């Protein structure tokens, strides 16, 4: 994945990998690629002798050899990025946690554990059960991790982690974090210390291996995205050296974040950046270590998902299936042998909305099985179709683009027309009651979280002293459409004036009294500005209206005006 | 460029190219790549002996050798895509034109010319001056083309085209097409005959070499995009075989299109698809020739531009400069030698609007020189900044996202506030007069062309019997914001009712009477749904309003309510 951006920039890569036909060596022609272990000092020295700058895609590497290459006295010295000291800190997860804690970056409570049963029991007493027992080094993709659920697990844990004989400094324990979501942020750090982050994403693991990545992260608490970004940037800024870093975090139900671990390299949770961002994590890694200007980390599509393809079975079948999915790019790694749990490739799917991306990924997830897995129960229940089909029961979508809210259930007979229109266009929406006067706190929460939950438009209907649309508009930056609902006394003029006559600074897009059909259509037009095929559907809708009238013209001509019956 | 998608799909490529270190051979490791000419039958036969399917990236190839490989009797036969007969027709531009004409596809009038002065003069008499004289084969990037401006040019033309000795069937003449734009459409054709096209783009040539490609094409005549698509698909459907085809067209001032030429392969005008579309032309070429499902040809970004980097000077300098531009991807081809006019690479820039893309590409165009070139005079005058800065004189942008229109110049004092707001947010707009009652035709044209010109929102202000917003909304699918302007008699209630009380089916987003500030803010919110950083600016704007009020709270506290002076 580094080879492609390297080729575009006319950079020569030489690759050290134990396998002679490693994926990276297949996709870049160079007669000097090396075969050898990442822990072999001599292999690293040989690589160093051939290059100007040396970087890593794995942290489980001989850092002494990197240090030697960098400071090779007398001989030729080589730039190593990120710094070997950074790799040394990060590759030992206990040191990594100590480092982060010392820099006041939130991590779960942890403590060193030597390879004895008594040490494990002491950790259990300190941290409570369950807790995580991990090897300090070489733990990844679930290897080297053990969940200690009770005192009885201690012996089994030692055995599972291969530490039955009481070695010191091989294990550590971590307090269990009851996370609601796992979040990852890719951060790129330039040679000059400049730090830029990609948007926070949600990662879903299965058997401790990254399974799905959804970009961008959606959160009911708007502040989560900003805090995740800041925490990741702050953490990466503490390390020496340039390159891309993957920062994995836990989000708990109270909205707090802590860092799980950091990878000093391009990371699985950043693969989506290849198709979804203005500059991929791989190109940015190259730019960073070369001292070139860092590339833009912005998403260039509204929504993306990445699915890992783990070996066997079905990798080829899933990949073939993915070729039928619009917006999907299949990445097969060309690994010779497929083993259970081995990453054989991935698929990234982009789309114009969360709903579309989830509808697109759904057939792959069903094919991959485990529909009982709660992590994507929601997805497998999602509606089909390009933007969601609207064929299911009339309920709120889990991934709405439009929020339809009303001050009271008595407004429903009016507001349902907006929902019907959105169903017709296949636009995902939610429909609920938010009363400005009776549920003011709910109003505040709804308006504040609307954008970070992925909504793009809010339709608010209210009658009488209709405050809902204007109050919502004052607490969100999204466009708010106001529907004046006719009450019992003033024929709806009270509602209309209450909604339309907003002060300068806070606009409400007001439609005609009781005309929530037009609110739905306006929402479709607004969302059509970012999903062009939708504008074509709006155009087809207008054409239908025209044809209906032309039908009446013909009928009037045919039967004459006296016999013509006006339908109510 | 084919090598990257081939690697992702685990496909083995073997490349025939005259150069041992050709760009394609650099980026895909394979010991069996071949060196040899595209006209060398033996080289083609050797390649055919090593592969299952054979395709081309250049049409100037020995088609007899391809035919032989395909029908190799006795021995092993190889699938060749597209069909050798297709390549044979297309590589001879005269045959190509005859083919298209026979299929009723519009081409400029043309005629065969043998290599004599008298034949050229006869063509001039028939086609008028100036006309194009071209060699039938091996004409590309301006080579093999000559503009015959008068009878006196005949001798020079023969000399320039290397045909001084009267050979037959080497030249042909084409009537000059006074085009207003050059348009290109990439089309992919599957083995089953399925045809899909990418969005039409505008191409700008310099010295007959492709210089710039803007995607998507914008047109004042909405029908042009549909007609370009249909014409390109129809043309490609006439040829045998699978793969990607580039269709180049002329658009003239009356809105009519004719085909200039067709390339039976991925094409320079489709390079933008790599970063800008859901599936690139290269991946789709592979999918097509392999009989895999065709990929989505949709744009995944709102706007893109491609700039070719021609040799020397300055290729490296321009590429380095491009690394500073957000959304830019630099493609250097790794060609050993840079010659004047040789394509050494290209840069694709994506962005959230035409204005943003043009602002991003501007520094490269200035660096490439020739600012007197009328083709991008407009660009070099464009405003800077991420979305355009709004710093220039208050005039309409060439690449507006918002159209502000009003029924009369007397509405300007009200409507200017919308423009001021948009300037503040750096959103490009145009501001003009369109009267529903006094310029009804202008109204129709404005509304019909708004979307195809790239507008995303229309703000329409009118007073009294205010028909403008509703009439515009009935002829466009874009969101229309209506500003009721207060007239002399009914305090604006007449305008408000005329605008807001639209019938079911045609919505107008109505704001408060005379409050075009809110119309500008609503437009910013709507455009923010597709340009997220804009929503942050809206949020900052609301924060400023809050701070202003809090300042007044403090002042009231400080001076007391009796001494407090209310500012008008």
């Amino acid at each position: 994945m580094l080879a492609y951006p390297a080729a575009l920039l006319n950079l020569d890569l030489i690759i050290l990998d134990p396998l002679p036909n490693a994926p990276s060596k297949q996709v870049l022609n160079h007669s000097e690629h090396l075969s050898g272990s990442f822990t072999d000092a001599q292999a690293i020295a040989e690589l160093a002798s051939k290059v100007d700058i040396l970087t890593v895609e794995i942290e489980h590497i001989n850092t002494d050899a990197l240090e030697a290459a960098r400071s090779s006295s007398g001989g030729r010295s080589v730039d190593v990025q990120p710094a070997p000291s950074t790799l040394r800190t990060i590759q030992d997860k206990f040191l990594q946690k100590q480092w982060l804690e010392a820099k006041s970056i939130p991590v779960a409570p942890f403590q060193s554990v030597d390879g004895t049963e008594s040490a494990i029991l002491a950790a259990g007493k300190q941290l409570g059960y369950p807790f995580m027992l991990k090897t300090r080094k070489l733990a990844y993709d679930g290897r080297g991790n053990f969940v200690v659920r009770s005192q009885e697990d201690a012996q089994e844990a030692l055995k599972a982690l291969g530490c039955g004989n009481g070695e010191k400094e091989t294990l550590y324990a971590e307090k269990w974090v009851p996370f609601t979501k796992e979040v990852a942020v890719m951060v790129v750090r330039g040679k000059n210390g400049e730090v830029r982050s990609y948007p926070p994403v949600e990662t879903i693991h299965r058997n401790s291996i990254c399974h799905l990545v959804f970009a961008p992260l959606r959160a009911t608490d708007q502040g989560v995205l900003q805090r995740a970004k800041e925490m990741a940037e702050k953490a990466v800024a503490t390390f020496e050296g340039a390159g891309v870093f993957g920062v994995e975090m836990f989000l708990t139900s109270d909205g707090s974040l802590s860092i799980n671990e950091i990878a000093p390299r391009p990371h699985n949770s950043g693969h989506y950046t290849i198709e979804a961002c203005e500059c991929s994590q791989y190109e940015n890694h190259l730019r960073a270590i070369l001292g070139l200007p860092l590339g833009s980390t912005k998403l260039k599509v509204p929504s993306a998902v990445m699915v890992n393809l783990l070996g066997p079975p079905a990798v080829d079948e899933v990949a073939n299936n993915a070729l039928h999915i619009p917006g999907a790019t299949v990445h097969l790694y060309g690994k010779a042998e497929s083993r259970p749990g081995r990453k054989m490739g991935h698929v990234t799917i982009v789309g114009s909305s969360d709903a579309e991306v989830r509808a697109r990924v759904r057939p792959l997830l069903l094919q991959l099985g485990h529909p009982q897995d709660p992590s994507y129960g929601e997805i497998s229940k999602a509606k089909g179709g390009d933007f969601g089909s609207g064929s299911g029961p009339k309920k709120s979508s889990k991934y709405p683009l439009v929020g339809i809210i009303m001050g009271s259930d008595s407004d429903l007979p009016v507001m349902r027309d907006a929902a019907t229109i959105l169903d017709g266009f296949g636009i995902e929406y939610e429909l609920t009651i938010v009363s400005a006067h009776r549920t003011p706190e709910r109003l505040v929460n709804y308006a504040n979280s609307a954008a970070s939950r992925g909504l793009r438009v809010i339709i608010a209907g209210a009658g009488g002293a209709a405050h809902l649309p204007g109050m919502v508009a004052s607490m969100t930056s999204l466009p708010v459409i106001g529907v004046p609902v006719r009450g019992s006394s003033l024929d709806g003029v009270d509602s209309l004036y209450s909604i339309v006559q907003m002060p300068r600074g806070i606009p409400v897009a007001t439609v005609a009294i009781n005309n929530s059909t037009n609110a739905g259509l306006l929402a479709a037009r607004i969302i059509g500005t970012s999903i062009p095929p939708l504008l074509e559907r709006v155009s087809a809708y207008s054409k239908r209206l025209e044809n209906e009238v032309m039908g009446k013209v013909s009928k009037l001509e045919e039967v004459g005006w006296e016999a013509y019956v006006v339908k109510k």
Side-chain angles (χ1 to χ4, degrees), chain A:
Chain A
M1 296 190 241
L2 275 175
Y4 174 64
L8 294 191
L9 296 172
N10 275 0
L11 302 173
D12 283 332
L13 282 195
I14 304 181
I15 296 150
L16 170 66
D17 191 289
L19 300 173
N21 195 29
S24 52
K25 294 176 186 171
Q26 293 170 36
V27 291
L28 203 65
N29 205 353
H30 202 297
S31 54
E32 290 184 289
H33 295 315
L34 299 176
S35 294
S37 164
F38 311 127
T39 57
D40 177 352
Q42 205 172 338
I44 290 172
E46 191 186 346
L47 178 62
S49 74
K50 292 170 185 282
V51 301
D52 301 310
I53 180 161
L54 206 154
T55 190
V56 300
E57 277 206 304
I58 185 163
E59 62 272 31
H60 307 299
I61 187 164
N62 184 335
T63 51
D64 293 337
L66 292 179
E67 203 72 76
R70 189 158 79 147
S71 57
S72 157
S73 60
R76 181 171 169 284
S77 78
V78 164
D79 190 9
V80 179
Q81 298 293 352
S85 60
T86 294
L87 297 171
R88 192 176 290 134
T89 303
I90 286 179
Q91 72 181 192
D92 182 327
K93 289 192 180 177
F94 180 71
L95 291 184
Q96 186 190 133
K97 297 262 154 160
Q98 278 189 316
W99 175 278
L100 293 172
E101 191 175 51
K103 309 287 181 187
S104 307
I105 291 162
V107 292
F110 65 98
Q111 62 183 68
S112 180
V113 169
D114 64 26
T116 63
E117 194 175 344
S118 62
I120 292 174
L121 297 178
K125 203 162 178 188
Q126 189 73 26
L127 302 171
Y129 293 95
F131 69 91
M132 291 299 296
L133 192 64
K134 296 185 178 180
T135 60
R136 290 173 56 161
K137 292 192 177 183
L138 293 172
Y140 67 98
D141 283 355
R143 273 170 280 194
N145 285 4
F146 194 95
V147 182
V148 185
R149 300 190 183 278
S150 70
Q151 296 182 2
E152 285 72 50
D153 285 352
Q155 273 300 340
E156 197 190 334
L158 283 176
K159 210 169 125 193
L161 299 177
C163 304
N165 40 10
E167 300 95 337
K168 295 206 182 264
E169 299 190 357
T170 58
L171 301 180
Y172 78 105
E174 246 177 59
K175 192 173 168 70
W176 182 263
V177 181
F179 62 84
T180 51
K181 276 186 182 174
E182 290 189 85
V183 173
V185 181
M186 299 304 308
V187 180
V188 58
R189 184 171 196 272
K191 272 186 151 172
N192 58 3
E194 182 191 356
V195 161
R196 285 188 188 188
S197 59
Y198 286 88
V201 297
E202 178 177 359
T203 61
I204 292 174
H205 289 71
R206 203 200 253 181
N207 305 325
S208 301
I209 303 179
C210 179
H211 173 46
L212 292 169
V213 173
F214 288 103
L217 171 70
R218 303 297 179 188
T220 45
D221 173 1
Q222 199 183 16
V224 165
L225 285 88
Q226 188 59 26
R227 291 203 306 279
K229 172 187 157 76
E230 283 166 10
M231 189 182 291
E233 290 180 359
K234 183 181 168 192
V236 169
T238 68
F239 291 105
E240 196 195 335
V244 158
F245 294 76
V247 182
E248 294 186 285
M249 297 180 226
F250 293 128
L251 173 65
T252 46
S253 56
D254 62 352
S256 71
L257 289 159
S258 60
I259 288 188
N260 177 20
E261 62 182 70
I262 295 181
R265 54 173 164 81
H267 188 260
N268 203 163
S269 63
H271 286 357
Y272 78 93
T273 62
I274 298 172
E275 283 84 16
C277 290
E278 291 193 331
C279 180
S280 79
Q281 64 168 344
Y282 292 98
E283 180 171 338
N284 249 336
H285 185 72
L286 293 174
R287 287 172 176 237
I289 64 172
L290 292 166
L292 295 172
L294 299 184
S296 161
T297 53
K298 264 199 235 165
L299 276 171
K300 65 181 178 186
V301 295
S303 192
V305 60
M306 191 243 25
V307 195
N308 270 330
L309 301 180
L310 303 184
V315 169
D316 289 345
E317 288 83 344
V318 177
N320 284 339
N321 202 356
L323 292 176
H324 291 271
I325 299 173
T329 303
V330 174
H331 294 247
L332 294 174
Y333 300 159
K335 290 181 181 174
E337 193 196 342
S338 176
R339 288 191 305 267
R342 191 174 197 208
K343 291 177 185 168
M344 301 301 291
H346 74 265
V347 177
T348 298
I349 302 177
V350 301
S352 52
S353 69
D354 290 6
E356 184 178 53
V357 153
R358 280 167 167 88
R360 286 175 167 189
V361 78
R362 196 178 165 225
L364 299 189
L365 298 184
L366 293 176
Q367 198 180 6
L368 287 165
H370 303 252
Q372 74 279 20
D373 186 332
S375 65
Y376 53 93
E378 281 178 9
I379 292 164
S380 53
K381 275 181 288 180
K383 300 180 192 172
D386 218 12
F387 311 110
S389 75
S391 60
K394 310 280 186 196
K395 282 196 173 178
S396 290
S397 162
K398 291 278 178 192
Y399 312 103
L401 289 177
V402 181
I404 305 175
I405 57 177
M406 50 199 179
S408 156
D409 62 353
S410 65
D411 300 326
L412 182 55
V414 169
M415 298 307 293
R416 54 181 299 144
D417 293 345
T420 304
I421 286 287
L422 295 175
D423 272 330
F425 283 105
I427 299 172
E428 309 269 326
Y429 60 87
E430 60 185 14
L431 192 158
T432 187
I433 300 165
V434 177
S435 167
H437 306 122
R438 283 157 294 189
T439 64
E441 233 176 284
R442 177 168 164 77
L443 165 73
V444 172
N445 291 338
Y446 190 88
N448 274 335
S449 69
S452 61
R453 288 198 300 119
L455 291 180
R456 292 190 203 162
V457 181
I458 296 170
I459 298 174
H467 293 179
L468 181 65
M471 286 310 299
V472 170
S474 72
M475 289 180 284
T476 180
S477 304
L478 297 178
V480 175
I481 300 170
V483 182
V485 175
R486 184 165 47 224
S488 49
S489 29
L490 291 166
D491 248 1
V493 174
D494 47 350
S495 321
L496 172 60
Y497 285 178
S498 302
I499 292 172
V500 78
Q501 285 298 107
M502 288 291 290
R504 258 164 237 279
I506 310 294
V508 169
T510 309
V511 295
I513 295 165
N514 268 17
N515 196 335
S516 88
T517 297
N518 276 5
L521 288 166
L522 184 55
R525 289 181 181 222
I526 291 172
I527 291 172
T529 62
S530 55
I531 307 181
L534 211 45
L535 284 188
E536 287 166 31
R537 296 195 199 174
V538 171
S539 179
Y541 178 91
S542 301
K543 193 76 205 161
R544 273 207 306 282
L545 293 186
E546 190 178 351
N547 290 343
E548 275 172 28
V549 175
M550 293 314 291
K552 291 174 186 171
V553 168
S554 302
K555 195 178 164 202
L556 189 55
E557 196 70 21
E558 194 186 307
V559 304
W561 65 265
E562 269 184 314
Y564 190 93
V565 182
V566 179
K567 275 192 201 139
K568 276 281 180 183

